[in-house]
Amino acid sequence: EAGVVQSPRYKIIEKKQPVAFWCNPISGHNTLYWYRQNLGQGPELLIRYENEEAVDDSQLPKDRFSAERLKGVDSTLKIQPAELGDSAVYLCASKTSGASNEQFFGPGTRLTVL
Amino acid sequence: QQQVKQSPQSLIVQKGGIPIINCAYENTAFDYFPWYQQFPGKGPALLIAIRPDVSEKKEGRFTISFNKSAKQFSLHIMDSQPGDSATYFCAAGRGNQFYFGTGTSLTVIP
Protein backbone atom coordinates (compact mmCIF):
# COMPACT_ATOMS: atom_id res chain seq x y z
CA GLU A 1 0.00 0.00 0.00
CA ALA A 2 1.40 3.38 -0.98
CA GLY A 3 1.90 5.88 1.80
CA VAL A 4 1.05 9.56 1.86
CA VAL A 5 2.65 11.27 -1.12
CA GLN A 6 3.75 14.88 -1.07
CA SER A 7 5.35 17.07 -3.67
CA PRO A 8 7.57 18.85 -4.12
CA ARG A 9 9.97 17.59 -1.46
CA TYR A 10 11.91 20.85 -1.43
CA LYS A 11 11.08 24.36 -2.52
CA ILE A 12 13.15 27.53 -2.41
CA ILE A 13 11.45 30.81 -3.23
CA GLU A 14 11.95 34.49 -2.65
CA LYS A 15 9.68 36.34 -0.25
CA LYS A 16 6.44 37.66 -1.70
CA GLN A 17 6.33 34.81 -4.23
CA PRO A 18 3.48 32.28 -4.23
CA VAL A 19 4.03 28.59 -3.51
CA ALA A 20 1.83 25.49 -3.55
CA PHE A 21 2.18 22.08 -1.97
CA TRP A 22 0.35 18.94 -3.04
CA CYS A 23 -0.69 15.91 -1.00
CA ASN A 24 -2.16 12.57 -2.02
CA PRO A 25 -3.38 10.69 1.07
CA ILE A 26 -3.59 6.96 1.53
CA SER A 27 -6.48 5.53 -0.45
CA GLY A 28 -9.67 5.42 1.57
CA HIS A 29 -8.49 7.85 4.23
CA ASN A 30 -11.24 10.41 4.72
CA THR A 31 -9.40 12.66 7.16
CA LEU A 32 -6.53 14.78 5.89
CA TYR A 33 -4.30 17.10 7.87
CA TRP A 34 -1.84 19.82 6.94
CA TYR A 35 0.75 20.57 9.62
CA ARG A 36 3.62 23.03 9.78
CA GLN A 37 6.78 21.91 11.53
CA ASN A 38 9.30 24.58 12.42
CA LEU A 39 12.90 23.56 13.04
CA GLY A 40 13.22 21.76 16.35
CA GLN A 41 9.49 21.83 17.01
CA GLY A 42 6.57 19.46 16.83
CA PRO A 43 3.95 19.54 14.07
CA GLU A 44 1.35 22.28 14.44
CA LEU A 45 -2.02 21.85 12.80
CA LEU A 46 -2.91 24.24 9.99
CA ILE A 47 -6.10 22.63 8.70
CA ARG A 48 -8.02 19.37 8.96
CA TYR A 49 -10.40 18.00 6.35
CA GLU A 50 -13.12 15.42 6.74
CA ASN A 51 -13.67 14.36 3.13
CA GLU A 52 -13.89 17.67 1.25
CA GLU A 53 -14.99 19.76 4.24
CA ALA A 54 -12.50 21.83 6.22
CA VAL A 55 -13.61 21.14 9.79
CA ASP A 56 -10.75 22.82 11.66
CA ASP A 57 -8.92 25.74 10.08
CA SER A 58 -8.63 27.91 13.16
CA GLN A 59 -4.80 27.96 12.99
CA LEU A 60 -4.58 28.67 9.27
CA PRO A 61 -3.34 32.24 8.58
CA LYS A 62 -6.15 33.01 6.18
CA ASP A 63 -4.70 36.28 4.94
CA ARG A 64 -2.02 34.39 3.02
CA PHE A 65 -2.73 30.67 3.30
CA SER A 66 -5.42 28.74 1.49
CA ALA A 67 -6.17 25.06 1.05
CA GLU A 68 -8.54 22.92 -0.92
CA ARG A 69 -9.58 19.30 -1.18
CA LEU A 70 -12.08 19.46 -3.99
CA LYS A 71 -12.97 15.80 -4.49
CA GLY A 72 -12.18 14.64 -0.98
CA VAL A 73 -8.94 12.98 -2.06
CA ASP A 74 -5.91 15.09 -3.06
CA SER A 75 -5.28 18.38 -1.33
CA THR A 76 -3.33 21.53 -2.14
CA LEU A 77 -1.97 24.06 0.34
CA LYS A 78 -1.04 27.48 -1.02
CA ILE A 79 0.83 30.45 0.40
CA GLN A 80 0.55 33.81 -1.32
CA PRO A 81 2.61 35.85 -0.73
CA ALA A 82 5.25 33.91 1.18
CA GLU A 83 7.10 35.56 4.06
CA LEU A 84 10.49 34.74 5.58
CA GLY A 85 8.78 33.27 8.63
CA ASP A 86 7.00 30.68 6.48
CA SER A 87 10.22 28.69 6.11
CA ALA A 88 9.37 25.31 7.62
CA VAL A 89 8.48 21.73 6.73
CA TYR A 90 4.87 21.31 5.66
CA LEU A 91 3.56 17.87 6.53
CA CYS A 92 0.47 16.16 5.23
CA ALA A 93 -1.10 13.30 7.16
CA SER A 94 -4.17 11.14 6.72
CA LYS A 95 -6.25 8.68 8.73
CA THR A 96 -9.29 6.53 8.27
CA SER A 97 -12.68 7.44 9.66
CA GLY A 98 -12.82 4.11 11.50
CA ALA A 99 -11.88 3.22 15.06
CA SER A 100 -8.13 3.62 14.56
CA ASN A 101 -6.66 6.96 15.64
CA GLU A 102 -3.41 6.40 13.78
CA GLN A 103 -2.26 9.19 11.50
CA PHE A 104 0.06 8.42 8.61
CA PHE A 105 2.45 11.18 7.65
CA GLY A 106 4.01 12.01 4.34
CA PRO A 107 7.70 12.96 4.05
CA GLY A 108 6.91 16.66 4.04
CA THR A 109 7.85 19.60 1.85
CA ARG A 110 10.75 21.70 3.10
CA LEU A 111 10.11 25.33 2.21
CA THR A 112 12.86 27.92 2.30
CA VAL A 113 11.86 31.54 1.80
CA LEU A 114 14.77 33.86 0.97
CA GLN B 1 -2.16 27.37 25.93
CA GLN B 2 0.19 24.53 25.13
CA GLN B 3 -1.84 21.34 25.26
CA VAL B 4 1.12 18.94 25.49
CA LYS B 5 4.45 19.63 27.21
CA GLN B 6 7.42 17.39 26.46
CA SER B 7 10.81 17.02 28.13
CA PRO B 8 13.72 16.85 27.84
CA GLN B 9 14.50 18.70 24.64
CA SER B 10 17.51 16.48 23.98
CA LEU B 11 18.96 13.31 25.43
CA ILE B 12 22.24 11.46 24.98
CA VAL B 13 22.64 7.89 26.24
CA GLN B 14 25.11 5.08 25.81
CA LYS B 15 24.14 2.00 23.83
CA GLY B 16 22.12 -0.31 26.10
CA GLY B 17 20.88 2.55 28.26
CA ILE B 18 17.20 3.32 28.91
CA PRO B 19 16.25 6.81 27.77
CA ILE B 20 13.02 8.16 29.24
CA ILE B 21 10.99 10.92 27.63
CA ASN B 22 8.17 12.59 29.52
CA CYS B 23 4.99 14.33 28.46
CA ALA B 24 2.19 16.09 30.28
CA TYR B 25 -1.20 17.02 28.90
CA GLU B 26 -3.92 19.44 29.90
CA ASN B 27 -7.24 18.19 28.59
CA THR B 28 -8.78 15.32 30.55
CA ALA B 29 -11.00 14.55 27.55
CA PHE B 30 -8.02 13.25 25.58
CA ASP B 31 -8.24 9.50 25.08
CA TYR B 32 -5.36 8.65 22.75
CA PHE B 33 -1.68 9.13 23.49
CA PRO B 34 0.75 8.17 20.71
CA TRP B 35 4.48 8.46 20.38
CA TYR B 36 6.01 9.20 17.00
CA GLN B 37 9.57 8.65 15.80
CA GLN B 38 11.03 10.96 13.18
CA PHE B 39 14.28 10.56 11.28
CA PRO B 40 15.87 13.49 9.41
CA GLY B 41 14.11 14.20 6.13
CA LYS B 42 11.21 11.90 6.95
CA GLY B 43 7.73 12.40 8.30
CA PRO B 44 6.86 11.20 11.80
CA ALA B 45 5.92 7.53 12.06
CA LEU B 46 3.78 5.99 14.79
CA LEU B 47 5.88 4.04 17.28
CA ILE B 48 3.43 3.05 20.01
CA ALA B 49 0.20 4.41 21.46
CA ILE B 50 -1.85 4.00 24.61
CA ARG B 51 -5.38 4.71 25.79
CA PRO B 52 -6.12 5.91 29.33
CA ASP B 53 -7.73 2.67 30.47
CA VAL B 54 -4.31 1.03 30.93
CA SER B 55 -1.25 2.19 32.86
CA GLU B 56 1.41 0.56 30.70
CA LYS B 57 1.87 -0.76 27.20
CA LYS B 58 4.89 -2.54 25.81
CA GLU B 59 5.81 -3.22 22.20
CA GLY B 60 9.21 -4.74 21.71
CA ARG B 61 11.79 -2.46 23.34
CA PHE B 62 9.37 0.45 23.65
CA THR B 63 7.15 0.97 26.70
CA ILE B 64 4.63 3.68 27.50
CA SER B 65 3.83 4.39 31.15
CA PHE B 66 0.62 6.32 31.72
CA ASN B 67 -0.48 8.15 34.86
CA LYS B 68 -4.03 9.37 34.40
CA SER B 69 -4.32 11.20 37.72
CA ALA B 70 -1.13 13.16 37.06
CA LYS B 71 -2.00 13.67 33.38
CA GLN B 72 1.44 12.42 32.42
CA PHE B 73 2.86 9.72 30.21
CA SER B 74 6.34 8.65 29.29
CA LEU B 75 8.26 6.61 26.74
CA HIS B 76 10.97 4.19 27.82
CA ILE B 77 13.33 2.63 25.30
CA MET B 78 14.93 -0.55 26.61
CA ASP B 79 18.39 -1.63 25.47
CA SER B 80 18.73 1.45 23.27
CA GLN B 81 20.66 1.13 20.02
CA PRO B 82 22.38 3.68 17.78
CA GLY B 83 19.60 3.12 15.25
CA ASP B 84 17.16 4.57 17.78
CA SER B 85 18.82 7.97 17.34
CA ALA B 86 15.95 10.14 16.13
CA THR B 87 13.51 12.78 17.30
CA TYR B 88 10.58 11.52 19.36
CA PHE B 89 7.25 13.33 19.66
CA CYS B 90 4.45 12.61 22.05
CA ALA B 91 0.93 13.59 21.15
CA ALA B 92 -2.47 13.62 22.79
CA GLY B 93 -5.93 13.91 21.39
CA ARG B 94 -9.43 12.65 20.91
CA GLY B 95 -11.16 11.53 17.75
CA ASN B 96 -9.50 13.27 14.82
CA GLN B 97 -7.94 16.13 16.81
CA PHE B 98 -4.37 15.84 18.04
CA TYR B 99 -1.75 18.03 19.70
CA PHE B 100 1.96 17.34 19.53
CA GLY B 101 4.79 17.92 21.97
CA THR B 102 7.86 19.88 20.96
CA GLY B 103 10.03 16.81 20.45
CA THR B 104 13.06 15.17 22.05
CA SER B 105 16.23 14.62 20.06
CA LEU B 106 17.72 11.30 21.17
CA THR B 107 21.31 10.32 20.45
CA VAL B 108 22.47 6.82 21.32
CA ILE B 109 26.26 6.59 21.45
CA PRO B 110 27.77 3.26 20.32
Side-chain angles (χ1 to χ4, degrees):
Chain A
E1 179 184 85
V4 177
V5 179
Q6 290 188 247
S7 69
R9 291 295 315 278
Y10 305 91
K11 190 73 177 180
I12 301 174
I13 61 172
E14 295 190 346
K15 64 181 181 182
K16 300 185 181 180
Q17 294 300 305
V19 65
F21 314 124
W22 175 78
C23 172
N24 182 237
I26 293 173
S27 177
H29 282 196
N30 298 325
T31 305
L32 184 145
Y33 305 80
W34 281 103
Y35 290 93
R36 177 167 57 191
Q37 185 176 25
N38 292 311
L39 189 64
Q41 298 294 315
E44 296 176 334
L45 180 70
L46 291 172
I47 189 168
R48 172 166 61 97
Y49 282 93
E50 299 292 342
N51 298 302
E52 62 272 13
E53 181 182 0
V55 297
D56 185 354
D57 62 356
S58 57
Q59 301 304 311
L60 189 73
K62 298 182 183 63
D63 57 336
R64 297 183 301 107
F65 285 65
S66 65
E68 60 183 15
R69 193 184 185 199
L70 292 176
K71 296 183 179 179
V73 181
D74 296 5
S75 178
T76 303
L77 178 68
K78 298 178 181 177
I79 308 175
Q80 182 171 11
E83 296 180 352
L84 295 176
D86 296 331
S87 294
V89 174
Y90 291 83
L91 293 164
C92 179
S94 68
K95 70 179 291 290
T96 69
S97 57
S100 173
N101 289 92
E102 183 177 358
Q103 292 183 77
F104 294 83
F105 283 83
T109 296
R110 179 175 296 278
L111 174 67
T112 302
V113 182
L114 302 175
Chain B
Q1 182 185 22
Q2 194 174 357
Q3 295 282 349
V4 179
K5 296 181 181 178
Q6 183 173 345
S7 64
Q9 187 174 11
S10 62
L11 197 50
I12 301 174
V13 299
Q14 295 278 353
K15 177 183 174 182
I18 305 176
I20 300 173
I21 306 171
N22 301 297
C23 280
Y25 63 98
E26 291 293 325
N27 191 334
T28 55
F30 291 158
D31 65 359
Y32 181 69
F33 303 90
W35 284 91
Y36 285 84
Q37 181 187 55
Q38 186 176 30
F39 292 103
K42 305 290 186 182
L46 180 66
L47 193 61
I48 185 173
I50 197 169
R51 295 199 180 272
D53 53 344
V54 297
S55 60
E56 185 176 280
K57 183 176 181 180
K58 180 181 290 188
E59 287 185 2
R61 295 184 294 107
F62 301 94
T63 299
I64 298 179
S65 296
F66 187 83
N67 186 328
K68 187 175 181 178
S69 61
K71 295 191 290 184
Q72 296 175 346
F73 58 111
S74 60
L75 176 71
H76 302 231
I77 305 176
M78 307 301 176
D79 186 28
S80 58
Q81 301 296 312
D84 296 331
S85 297
T87 299
Y88 293 81
F89 294 97
C90 63
R94 183 180 183 89
N96 291 335
Q97 190 170 35
F98 301 93
Y99 300 90
F100 285 81
T102 51
T104 296
S105 176
L106 172 66
T107 302
V108 181
I109 300 171

